[in-house]
Amino acid sequence: MKKTILDYFDDTVLKYPLRIAVADPTEKLTYEQLQSLARRVGTSIAKQKIEKRPVAVFMRRSAFLPAAMLSILYSGNFYVVLDAESPSARLQRILKTLCPAAVLYEQELEEMVEEVAPSITRIKWETEIAQQMYDETLLREIRTRMTSEDPAYALFTSGSTGDPKGALITHLNVISYMRWFVPCFEINPDTVFGSQTPLHFSMSVSDFYATIFTGASYHIIPKEYFAFPAKLMGYMNERKVNVIYWVPSAYGIVAKFDVFKYMLPETLEKALFAGEVMPVKYLNYWRAYLKDVLYANLFGPTETTDICSYYVVDRAFDEQETLPIGKPCDNCELIVIDEEGKAITDDSIGELYVKSPFVGKGYYRNKENTAKAFVQNPLHQDYLDTVYKTGDLVRKNEYGEFQYIGRKDFQIKHQGYRIEPGEIENVFNSADNVELTVCLYDEEKDELLLAYESDKELDDQLRAYGEKALPYYMQPSVYRMFQSFPKNANGKIDRKMMKKMIVENR
């Protein structure tokens, strides 16, 4: 019986030992090589006599990082990939919560590790891969003690509070999720992923684990390639990428540079996106050039492994419309709850709760936040029935599809009205010469702020546009042009940074 991620990975290695498993622009590892590296380093970690504990990973995003992740699983522990580009103070906060048994790092980041983790057991990647052997008996003994309920990894997410929270995901969560994702999108040994998302971000779970569960290939696209879209397309064509799963901002870069006028991704078959609301203007650009590609809008929080609902695009959308998040994934139940804790069955707005084996174990060493978000199913008290309270507001549309409205904690109370920033953004996103907009709220002055991405100042034009399209209480007071919105390490729009920039420079 396959009870862990490693059981699926080992089976894939037996079937496809010489197939390329993971690659970056300079390195390629076959499944056999990936397994060998992971087992050798896994043996070294296991000899530290730690088990079922977190091991932090400080490594660059390269073909060797997946090997490091798997090595920790082989050692009987769970991994936490940390973003080496994060401020030291944030990394120290995460490590204080995590209390890792060890830190696995590469030489290039040794100085940083010494700064943020001076007293934690350190294991250097370059030293351990020099070992030529792994201890098969030791690794086999460890495997006999592993269960599907053991943690596989934790991903730290800030959430609305700004404090890092480590969402803990088990082997069973990943296996259950893959049982939906792989057949839904027909991932197979011929699939070649072009990966945009870093491995400390939940979206990376889908394409990486779908790869090692099926014998597909996982090609890492460096972040800097998105600043040079022609180089991006060249890399995708060279590697014959046929499936991508990117944040909408990455799709937007291609659209804004009008890349397809000059070069197309020749082998692309499926284009999946998640992490942010996909502006319809970006989607329509891609669909105009690549009509035969399957497009899908995926939605879900880190706490549900990655995704809990999805929509395969099957009709045309105007730019002022918002894409639905569709229907529940197989083996997911989506419950919409009103403010009184009752189920909503019509098209009213409510908070989304998720019941599924995709739902993780809570937040590592954080009982308070776990108790707030991982709660008893509010529809009954008959038995223990834990669901995840997402904080996302949704409703059903006329097609019976779920529609994302916004974050409950983004909801604004302005001039006595409850306002969803996403509704304001939808209106301005369809204005001429505007690439994208973000609506923010200055609590101190009780004012709505509109940030817009454009190559020229459009304040007066947008103010007049808003007066015609929105009621007075939804009209922004402040408009601010950005040539390019600031992004966080995951490639998502950094709303907190943007608000600070606007408020401090008024």
Side-chain angles (χ1 to χ4, degrees), residues 362-506:
Y363 302 115
Y364 189 66
R365 298 185 71 233
N366 192 333
K367 289 183 179 180
E368 183 180 351
N369 280 313
T370 297
K372 289 177 182 177
F374 296 79
V375 301
Q376 171 67 25
N377 188 334
L379 303 185
H380 74 90
Q381 299 297 322
D382 303 328
Y383 56 90
L384 182 62
D385 188 15
T386 303
V387 296
Y388 176 63
K389 184 180 180 182
T390 67
D392 294 312
L393 298 173
V394 300
R395 72 188 311 166
K396 287 281 188 75
N397 65 16
E398 65 270 30
Y399 295 94
E401 301 156 340
F402 284 98
Q403 196 86 35
Y404 174 71
I405 304 300
R407 288 288 301 167
K408 193 173 182 180
D409 45 34
F410 284 175
Q411 197 175 60
I412 295 166
K413 189 75 176 292
H414 177 58
Q415 296 186 19
Y417 294 89
R418 288 187 185 276
I419 296 171
E420 298 298 339
E423 187 176 349
I424 297 172
E425 292 165 3
N426 274 348
V427 168
F428 286 106
N429 280 344
S430 60
D432 291 340
N433 301 312
V434 171
E435 289 295 339
L436 196 59
T437 64
V438 170
C439 181
L440 304 162
Y441 180 56
D442 184 347
E443 296 87 350
E444 190 174 321
K445 295 195 174 183
D446 189 26
E447 289 182 336
L448 297 174
L449 317 173
L450 188 84
Y452 62 93
E453 213 172 49
S454 180
D455 57 4
K456 58 183 176 181
E457 192 169 302
L458 303 169
D459 293 13
D460 292 341
Q461 174 191 318
L462 292 179
R463 195 179 302 277
Y465 189 82
E467 288 173 356
K468 292 180 181 179
L470 292 167
Y472 72 90
Y473 58 85
M474 295 178 72
Q475 294 172 19
S477 301
V478 176
Y479 294 79
R480 182 60 51 86
M481 183 196 82
F482 287 77
Q483 289 189 327
S484 181
F485 286 157
K487 306 290 195 305
N488 61 25
N490 297 330
K492 296 169 70 172
I493 294 168
D494 193 333
R495 288 173 175 260
K496 188 179 291 187
M497 172 64 72
M498 194 181 305
K499 179 179 174 181
K500 183 180 179 183
M501 292 167 69
I502 294 173
V503 170
E504 290 181 353
N505 294 284
R506 293 182 62 174

Side-chain angles (χ1 to χ4, degrees), residues 156-332:
F156 274 80
T157 174
S158 292
S160 58
T161 64
D163 295 324
K165 295 181 296 186
L168 196 64
I169 304 298
T170 68
H171 288 261
L172 181 59
N173 292 147
V174 175
I175 292 166
S176 300
Y177 179 69
M178 284 297 119
R179 285 174 179 161
W180 165 72
F181 185 84
V182 167
C184 181
F185 296 108
E186 299 179 344
I187 308 303
N188 58 60
D190 295 323
T191 297
V192 180
F193 283 106
S195 176
Q196 173 261 327
T197 55
L199 284 153
H200 58 260
F201 183 32
S202 63
M203 281 177 62
S204 67
V205 172
S206 293
D207 47 11
F208 172 64
Y209 279 112
T211 294
I212 66 168
F213 272 53
T214 63
S217 293
Y218 179 85
H219 289 260
I220 291 170
I221 303 174
K223 182 170 65 175
E224 56 269 24
Y225 282 23
F226 287 87
F228 303 96
K231 192 171 186 178
L232 169 65
M233 289 299 122
Y235 182 74
M236 290 174 64
N237 290 335
E238 173 199 332
R239 300 298 175 95
K240 300 189 183 329
V241 168
N242 53 28
V243 181
I244 57 175
Y245 180 33
W246 297 352
V247 294
S249 302
Y251 285 87
I253 290 169
V254 173
K256 283 186 283 188
F257 281 98
D258 198 9
V259 176
F260 292 161
K261 186 176 179 180
Y262 310 99
M263 197 172 189
L264 295 171
E266 297 163 358
T267 54
L268 191 64
E269 297 172 2
K270 301 181 183 81
L272 317 178
F273 39 89
E276 300 169 311
V277 174
M278 167 65 91
V280 172
K281 65 170 67 178
Y282 295 164
L283 175 64
N284 286 348
Y285 177 87
W286 280 69
R287 294 186 79 193
Y289 281 95
L290 303 171
K291 295 180 173 62
D292 297 328
V293 168
L294 178 146
Y295 298 91
N297 186 25
L298 278 58
F299 174 85
T302 302
E303 292 83 350
T304 64
T305 306
D306 185 19
I307 297 302
C308 61
S309 76
Y310 71 108
Y311 168 67
V312 176
V313 179
D314 60 357
R315 60 185 185 271
F317 289 85
D318 294 329
E319 288 189 359
Q320 66 270 23
E321 293 184 276
T322 304
L323 292 178
I325 59 173
K327 62 183 180 180
C329 305
D330 187 38
N331 212 9
C332 268

